[in-house]
Amino acid sequence: MTGPRETVGSRGEGAGSDDEPRGGWGVVGACFVALAVIFGVSYAFAAFFAALAAEFAAERAAVSLVFGLSGLIYFLLGAGAGMLADRYGPRIVIHRQPRGIPSRRCRKSCD
């Protein structure tokens, strides 16, 4: 035997080494803020419920149905996007979102 074995971290390796990417907590914080904004906007519907019903001269049931269907679509598309991101990678899924279609059309028509 030549001596005690070196353990991981005995020479500054392992947790906290320079090889690990920095900013992990920044990503966690950014995700927290993004989710707070997303769910805050989507569930702020109740604040505008009476105004929406009055503007469209709709009953409470019809306005609630719209909110329920939008939530259903939101979560079903989210589940599908999650499966696609697992299979093809998030970068491809994000760049193929429908929100990019109007900007592409604008770029083509502006040229």
Side-chain angles (χ1 to χ4, degrees):
M1 297 227 135
T2 60
R5 289 184 160 173
E6 292 184 16
T7 59
V8 174
S10 64
R11 291 186 296 165
E13 297 173 4
S17 72
D18 292 334
D19 294 340
E20 292 182 10
R22 301 201 186 269
W25 284 109
V27 172
V28 171
C31 288
F32 176 80
V33 170
L35 286 173
V37 169
I38 290 168
F39 283 105
V41 168
S42 65
Y43 289 114
F45 175 80
F48 305 107
F49 189 85
L52 286 170
E55 180 69 27
F56 294 107
E59 296 179 5
R60 290 174 49 107
V63 178
S64 296
L65 178 66
V66 170
F67 174 69
L69 289 176
S70 67
L72 176 71
I73 291 169
Y74 175 78
F75 287 111
L76 286 177
L77 290 177
M83 287 187 272
L84 288 173
D86 286 341
R87 180 173 215 151
Y88 300 110
R91 200 171 277 179
I92 292 173
V93 175
I94 289 171
H95 292 296
R96 300 282 188 228
Q97 287 183 3
R99 69 178 177 176
I101 293 171
S103 64
R104 287 185 203 130
R105 287 184 183 160
C106 180
R107 274 187 267 148
K108 286 182 181 178
S109 65
C110 293
D111 290 338

